[in-house]
Amino acid sequence: MLKNNGTEMQIHGIAASPGICIGKAYLVGREGVDVVEKYFVKRENLKEEIKRFKNAVKKAKDELNKIIEQTPKDFSQHAHILETHMVLFKDKMLYGRTIETIENEQVNAEWALKTVVSNVKAMFSDMTDSYLRTRAADIIHVSDSIMRNLVGAETESIASIGKQVILVATDLSPAETSQIQLEKVMGFVTDRGGKASHTGIIARSLEIPAVLGLENVTRIIKNDDIIIVDGTAGVVIINPTDQALIQFEERKERYEAHKAVISRESHLPAETLDGIRLQVMGNIEFPEEVVAVMAYGGDGIGLYRTEFQYLSHSGFPSEDELFDKYKDVVDVITPRPVTIRTLDVDGDKAVSYASDADEANPVLGLRGIRYCLQKPDIFKTQLRAILRASAFGHVRILLPMISCHEEILEAKKILNEAADSLENEGIDYDGNIEVGIMIEVPSAAILADIMAKSVDFFSIGTNDLIQFSLAVDRVNRQVAHLYQPLHPAVIRIVKHIADVARDSGINVFMCGEMAGDPMNLPVLLGLGIKKLSMNPQSIPAAKKMIRSLSINEARFFITEVLKETSTKGVMNLVQNTYGSILSDKIFNEG
Ligand code: PEP
Ligand code: MG
């Protein structure tokens, strides 16, 4: 049994992958990578210096190639992340700029690389979109591996760890994470990273607990310290007391029993007690996540976010590249449906890190459909790729950030042009493809009756809808307590959207995080929302909750909810009415 030998300390980070593990810390070093000296290189030696840099890139690529080849079968679904890193080695931002810096500033390759990466970091850290910010991590991982080769530092081989440990690292690159042997690595904690980082995604797919973004955990934890990682709560306990060890051992056992129940039940249908079948689908960002949606018993993909391919690329992705990824998803999920959302980023920043387009409020700026309508060629390329994929299964198109009716008309015009061009080329697509819009801007919710005339379905994006309706930044910790899905105003807005959809005879989905919390489900069912999409891990608990509810009862319940004047009032009502169901351990151990 592990023994406490010091003073207990708790630190909080980002809960990136659920579960609990208890064990000894193993620090993965970055020696030689962070401390780099600057020196000047004589003009006549610059060619040699550039050659040294190119050799380091080549060596780093060879190493990564070897890792890709040796990637165990379990992990091959994530090989694309490593392949993305292969592309980044030759990225103009990284490769081209470093060579330019060596030449222009006559400095050593290490310093040039460090300068270029610092600029990339600074640029990304200004972005409010956490998704984009975390993508900068890919560039940093790639540059670290080049730097290691430049400075001749030893590469830590995670694959050769000989005992059971919990990894503690500044950051783990996808290449490093892919070498994890499940029988040796119980979990990991890092200074950097976030939920949407590749490392977080990989941890979830390996189903090992991980807490990321702990800022300075590598300075606090020492090798062989006993640590508890609670990846569900995002907490790391260093040198736990004996009492904490016992408590977490028990929680770990309960969590594992809970996971077993979940996997046994995840394939049961989401059918209410009064026999109404609901659709519970998964949200994905990477084609590979489709496997998790299936494993968790999802009824399809309710939201396929398509930004990643644009960011991981040094230029705009080609129609064929997009089509290949969309088709990969369609092939796996068919006959279930997949809703592909068109690009929802501030495109200039996504595709060109060098862009100096500066927006004071990018979340309210040239993003989503606004960006696509300004760049019809890029939009059309994506639409053609989606249409081509639609020939192979049940595909829907979803337009993000719609704030006025004209945007739908304009987008549909471009969609028709894309369809006509395919027609002329004799390329197959689904001529009856459904086109829907995200309802995530209050103006779209208020004009839902007008919007409904031009679309086949609504998908309520509560992440943004709550942010914009309550004027609460969804990524600002200072106001996180005001971000309330069960706020009476949010409930009324959702009711309005659902009522309009019903009266207009169109489908309404909900794909924001609100849909994935079992506590919200009695309210959503009462409002008439019967098609939900959520992160894949939330699917089993949501289905289980739905199986415990009756639509008739929920309809009666909602009339009481609508009388409440505060979030607290609504939450108390939910607790008082459904507390006995919500106290089931399946909803509390996850
Ligand atoms: C939303 O806004 O609710 C949504 C699902 O989209 P995203 O989280 O990608 O903004
Ligand atoms: Mg959104």
Side-chain angles (χ1 to χ4, degrees), residues 303 305 341 344 367 438 440 461-464 474 511-512:
L303 172 64
R305 295 180 168 102
R341 186 174 74 182
D344 184 22
R367 59 173 283 203
M438 294 284 289
E440 53 186 343
T462 52
N463 303 341
D464 278 319
R474 66 194 253 194
C511 64

Side-chain angles (χ1 to χ4, degrees), residues 21-23 25 166 168 189 221 225-229 236-240:
C21 61
I22 304 172
I166 299 173
V168 179
V189 299
I221 297 179
D225 272 352
I226 293 165
I227 57 175
I228 299 174
V229 178
V236 179
I237 301 170
I238 305 156
N239 292 322

Side-chain angles (χ1 to χ4, degrees), residues 142-408:
V142 166
S143 69
D144 277 356
S145 63
I146 301 173
M147 190 68 90
R148 244 184 241 117
N149 279 294
L150 274 174
V151 299
E154 281 295 306
T155 316
E156 193 91 24
S157 177
I158 291 175
S160 64
I161 293 174
K163 50 185 179 178
Q164 273 220 314
V165 292
I166 299 173
L167 299 182
V168 179
T170 309
D171 199 358
L172 285 175
S173 68
E176 285 165 330
T177 320
S178 74
Q179 296 174 55
I180 283 177
Q181 302 173 69
L182 290 175
E183 63 282 9
K184 294 285 152 50
V185 177
M186 294 181 272
F188 60 84
V189 299
T190 61
D191 291 337
R192 297 191 196 140
K195 215 169 189 144
S197 68
H198 281 141
T199 310
I201 291 165
I202 292 171
R204 289 196 288 283
S205 86
L206 293 176
E207 300 194 13
I208 57 174
V211 179
L212 311 185
L214 287 152
E215 288 172 9
N216 55 0
V217 72
T218 46
R219 264 177 263 145
I220 301 171
I221 297 179
K222 295 185 293 306
N223 257 332
D224 288 337
D225 272 352
I226 293 165
I227 57 175
I228 299 174
V229 178
D230 182 343
T232 309
V235 176
V236 179
I237 301 170
I238 305 156
N239 292 322
T241 59
D242 291 343
Q243 200 189 356
L245 280 171
I246 293 167
Q247 185 198 342
F248 273 89
E249 279 290 356
E250 281 171 10
R251 279 187 60 184
K252 183 169 172 263
E253 272 170 35
R254 282 206 304 274
Y255 176 77
E256 266 144 31
H258 152 79
K259 246 175 80 175
V261 174
I262 281 197
S263 60
R264 264 205 315 276
E265 295 188 353
S266 63
H267 289 275
L268 297 175
E271 189 170 308
T272 60
L273 293 173
D274 44 357
I276 309 289
R277 178 84 186 256
L278 271 65
Q279 244 183 320
V280 179
M281 295 172 287
N283 295 346
I284 63 165
E285 290 178 37
F286 304 100
E288 290 68 20
E289 286 175 291
V290 69
V291 178
V293 174
M294 307 270 284
Y296 286 113
D299 297 316
I301 308 292
L303 172 64
Y304 178 3
R305 295 180 168 102
T306 58
E307 288 72 55
F308 176 64
Q309 262 180 294
Y310 290 80
L311 186 71
S312 61
H313 218 269
S314 42
F316 287 103
S318 70
E319 180 184 313
D320 282 346
E321 283 167 323
L322 294 170
F323 166 71
D324 285 347
K325 295 289 179 210
Y326 302 158
K327 184 168 177 296
D328 281 351
V329 173
V330 172
D331 283 346
V332 177
I333 207 77
T334 298
R336 301 168 196 83
V338 49
T339 301
I340 306 180
R341 186 174 74 182
T342 59
L343 186 60
D344 184 22
V345 284
D346 173 346
D348 277 330
K349 279 180 191 152
V351 294
S352 160
Y353 310 123
S355 161
D356 52 17
D358 217 359
E359 293 186 301
N361 293 306
V363 171
L364 304 177
L366 186 64
R367 59 173 283 203
I369 197 70
R370 304 166 183 181
Y371 177 81
C372 288
L373 293 178
Q374 280 209 2
K375 308 250 179 195
D377 291 345
I378 288 157
F379 192 33
K380 207 182 281 177
T381 301
Q382 185 178 29
L383 291 171
R384 275 178 55 106
I386 300 174
L387 285 171
R388 282 171 58 192
S390 73
F392 298 88
H394 183 177
V395 175
R396 299 185 181 107
I397 295 178
L398 180 58
L399 307 171
M401 281 299 289
I402 294 287
S403 63
C404 60
H405 186 228
E406 299 88 303
E407 284 167 341
I408 305 176

Side-chain angles (χ1 to χ4, degrees), residues 369 396-400 402-413 415 432-439 444-445 447-460 497 500-509:
I369 197 70
R396 299 185 181 107
I397 295 178
L398 180 58
L399 307 171
I402 294 287
S403 63
C404 60
H405 186 228
E406 299 88 303
E407 284 167 341
I408 305 176
L409 302 182
E410 246 186 282
K412 286 181 83 170
K413 192 170 145 254
L415 177 64
N432 296 316
I433 193 163
E434 293 160 84
V435 180
I437 55 168
M438 294 284 289
I439 303 271
L447 295 183
D449 56 329
I450 294 171
M451 306 292 189
K453 294 198 174 84
S454 302
V455 296
D456 301 305
F457 66 94
F458 290 154
S459 187
I460 307 177
I497 302 164
V500 170
R502 184 200 56 223
D503 295 346
S504 313
I506 66 169
N507 278 324
V508 58
F509 298 77

